[in-house]
Amino acid sequence: MNRPSTSPDRAGPVTPRGQRTRAKLLKAAESVFGEKGYERASIADITRKGGVALGTFYVYFPDKQSIFVEVVDELGTRLRRLIAESTSSCDSRVEVEREGLRTFFEFVRQHPNLYRVVRQAEFVDAACYRRYYDRFAKGYVSGLTRAMEEGEVRRMDPEALAYCLMGIGDFLGMRWVLWEEDPGLERVLDTAMGLIQHGIDTRPPAARNTLKAAAASKKPKKNTLRPTRRPARGARS
């Protein structure tokens, strides 16, 4: 376990039949790893679920870890592609954020094992686990940087902001889609977008700056003077 990841860019099957077989194995593996967990899942479970002969598995994957890594990479690729497609016609960064969240929630509905599979990756293949988030963040940073340059988003550290926004989506999807599917997701989206657009401070920016300046002026200044040395006992006055 935790061997180096197999290459995510290796060549796949070239024939349509081979591509279909490989896709069936990946779909079955996503389900089996999500339901049983990596340790309890077996290659036989995957081939049985996919309706593929056991020996055929090894035509496409050398072992269980390699198909697990491919499942995680494939889920990340599909999710990023769907979000890019769904947000391509948005006119503003705010619209991009809302539509991106909505698309993520829909993806979680269709792939309820996403959370379990991705989180297992931390212990199965640490490089794969980090790659899942790094690739997502890379595209996010690029979009946020453009929005900052165009004046749509306040200038700040784009990578830190990307991970903040990713965290919002991750936990909202877990709570309102995975744990308990909520038909009123617009309410959740409204709350998330209210936070993203306006933060949690009800005071206008000018008032916040005034209060910060006032607080700073009230801070006690550090005493930089050296303490007076007391004369040694018995010394002359």
Side-chain angles (χ1 to χ4, degrees):
M1 194 176 297
N2 263 327
R3 301 194 311 272
S5 296
T6 52
S7 171
D9 300 316
R10 61 186 177 276
V14 294
T15 66
R17 182 179 179 182
Q19 291 170 352
R20 288 194 298 271
T21 301
R22 189 171 183 278
K24 284 198 293 187
L25 285 168
L26 286 169
K27 184 177 180 181
E30 178 187 336
S31 176
V32 171
F33 288 134
E35 292 168 5
K36 289 194 168 187
Y38 180 82
E39 293 296 337
R40 292 178 56 228
S42 69
I43 291 173
D45 292 329
I46 295 169
T47 55
R48 189 161 45 247
K49 183 83 172 179
V52 176
L54 182 61
T56 303
F57 176 92
Y58 296 98
V59 174
Y60 302 95
F61 303 97
D63 52 31
K64 184 172 74 168
Q65 183 175 352
S66 65
I67 193 172
F68 179 87
V69 168
E70 189 68 16
V71 166
V72 176
D73 284 339
E74 181 75 8
L75 283 169
T77 298
R78 290 166 65 188
L79 175 56
R80 294 193 307 273
R81 185 187 303 126
L82 280 173
I83 291 176
E85 291 171 355
S86 70
T87 59
S88 61
S89 60
C90 293
D91 295 325
S92 68
R93 189 66 212 183
V94 169
E95 289 182 27
V96 168
E97 293 301 328
R98 188 181 188 100
E99 192 57 36
L101 278 174
R102 191 194 308 278
T103 303
F104 174 68
F105 294 158
E106 286 299 322
F107 191 84
V108 173
R109 275 200 184 107
Q110 295 167 17
H111 300 270
N113 292 311
L114 173 72
Y115 281 88
R116 277 197 81 184
V117 170
V118 171
R119 284 174 182 166
Q120 288 175 76
E122 180 180 7
F123 308 102
V124 177
D125 191 304
C128 168
Y129 178 70
R130 178 164 180 171
R131 183 167 63 241
Y132 175 87
Y133 289 105
D134 280 348
R135 287 179 169 176
F136 205 105
K138 184 178 179 181
Y140 222 145
V141 167
S142 178
L144 289 171
T145 300
R146 284 196 304 273
M148 290 177 192
E149 290 169 352
E150 294 168 3
E152 288 192 90
V153 174
R154 180 163 56 88
R155 284 196 176 275
M156 58 187 89
D157 184 329
E159 185 176 12
L161 178 59
Y163 273 91
C164 287
L165 295 172
M166 286 161 58
I168 288 173
D170 190 48
F171 275 89
L172 290 179
M174 182 169 60
R175 168 60 181 86
W176 274 283
V177 182
L178 186 66
W179 289 356
E180 179 184 345
E181 187 168 335
D182 190 332
L185 273 176
E186 288 302 317
R187 168 183 54 83
V188 177
L189 282 169
D190 287 342
T191 300
M193 292 311 302
L195 173 63
I196 291 169
Q197 286 182 264
H198 309 296
I200 61 174
D201 196 334
T202 58
R203 296 166 298 177
R208 295 177 214 165
N209 294 336
T210 301
L211 287 172
K212 282 181 183 178
S217 66
K218 290 180 181 178
K219 285 184 178 178
K221 294 182 179 179
K222 291 183 179 179
N223 184 5
T224 57
L225 297 176
R226 298 178 65 181
T228 303
R229 179 179 293 179
R230 297 178 61 182
R233 182 175 295 178
R236 294 180 182 178
S237 58

